[in-house]
Amino acid sequence: MSEHASNPSSPDPFDALESALSQSYNQGLTPLHPPQKSLIRIHMILRALILLILASVAETLLYLHHEVQPGMILAPAIFFTVLLVFVLPNRIYRRWGYDMGDEQLRVLRGFLWRTDTIVPFNRIQHIDVAQGPVQRWFDLSTLIVHTAGTHNSIVTLPGLATAEAEDMRETIKGHIRQDMI
């Protein structure tokens, strides 16, 4: 048994590296709840399966009608699928972060195109905490903030622990009530 396995309190070097990368990408903001990475991976697996099915059908049709060499479409699709399932979820997860200050909620997200959204509490009209069936399995929720206006009037923050999302909703609700007084 390795030293790491026998001593559960010793830090995992990969977790430390992941945390350091997440902090550098997210400018010190709070990262999403770690099970969100698994949820992203499940979504990528479903997309990868669709890609592989479509690539298999396309390759079969091309092979039957145009005598294309086997693997011309499926091999690149398999390579892309491996990237989709094993590399992309970590990168997507690392590029989400949030901060709930005294007067505003800041959400930073984006893999290729970065979006930094700041929502002042006095602009919030109502707040939802949503949870899909797979999110329930991981005890995750999405905080949905509705603001005044039409353009970008909905800000979503997925990947929060359910208790944390509910606490954030109550905190924001308290700020809204305080502003109304």
Side-chain angles (χ1 to χ4, degrees):
M1 190 179 266
S2 71
E3 179 183 324
H4 177 68
S6 63
N7 185 1
S9 65
S10 69
D12 183 5
F14 293 111
D15 285 342
L17 176 63
E18 185 74 25
S19 176
L21 286 172
S22 182
Q23 288 296 321
S24 68
Y25 288 126
N26 292 333
Q27 304 168 6
L29 299 177
T30 306
L32 301 179
H33 198 50
Q36 177 67 10
K37 201 182 317 180
S38 299
L39 185 66
I40 295 169
R41 184 161 282 119
I42 288 172
H43 287 196
M44 291 300 169
I45 288 170
L46 294 175
R47 291 177 180 144
L49 287 173
I50 292 169
L51 173 69
L52 289 175
I53 289 169
L54 292 174
S56 298
V57 168
E59 184 163 305
T60 302
L61 290 174
L62 287 173
Y63 178 74
L64 293 174
H65 298 292
H66 300 291
E67 298 180 11
V68 174
Q69 292 288 351
M72 294 295 288
I73 295 175
L74 202 53
I78 290 171
F79 175 75
F80 186 69
T81 297
V82 168
L83 289 177
L84 200 65
V85 172
F86 294 107
V87 176
L88 204 55
N90 293 332
R91 290 179 178 254
I92 291 171
Y93 173 79
R94 279 197 310 255
R95 284 163 175 84
W96 271 90
Y98 68 94
D99 180 45
M100 196 163 84
D102 291 334
E103 300 294 323
Q104 67 188 19
L105 172 66
R106 179 179 180 205
V107 179
L108 182 65
R109 65 189 177 280
F111 175 60
L112 294 176
W113 289 271
R114 303 282 286 166
T115 303
D116 192 353
T117 305
I118 297 174
V119 181
F121 290 153
N122 62 359
R123 300 270 301 155
I124 296 174
Q125 292 187 334
H126 69 277
I127 313 133
D128 297 322
V129 175
Q131 196 179 44
V134 181
Q135 284 179 312
R136 275 194 296 277
W137 191 33
F138 288 105
D139 192 33
L140 295 172
S141 291
T142 299
L143 183 72
I144 304 169
V145 177
H146 301 268
T147 63
T150 55
H151 182 67
N152 294 330
S153 64
I154 299 174
V155 178
T156 60
L157 181 56
L160 298 173
T162 300
E164 184 179 2
E166 290 169 352
D167 288 345
M168 288 175 72
R169 177 181 57 195
E170 294 305 314
T171 301
I172 293 171
K173 207 170 16 174
H175 282 281
I176 293 170
R177 282 193 192 117
Q178 193 173 29
D179 286 344
M180 293 175 73
I181 295 177

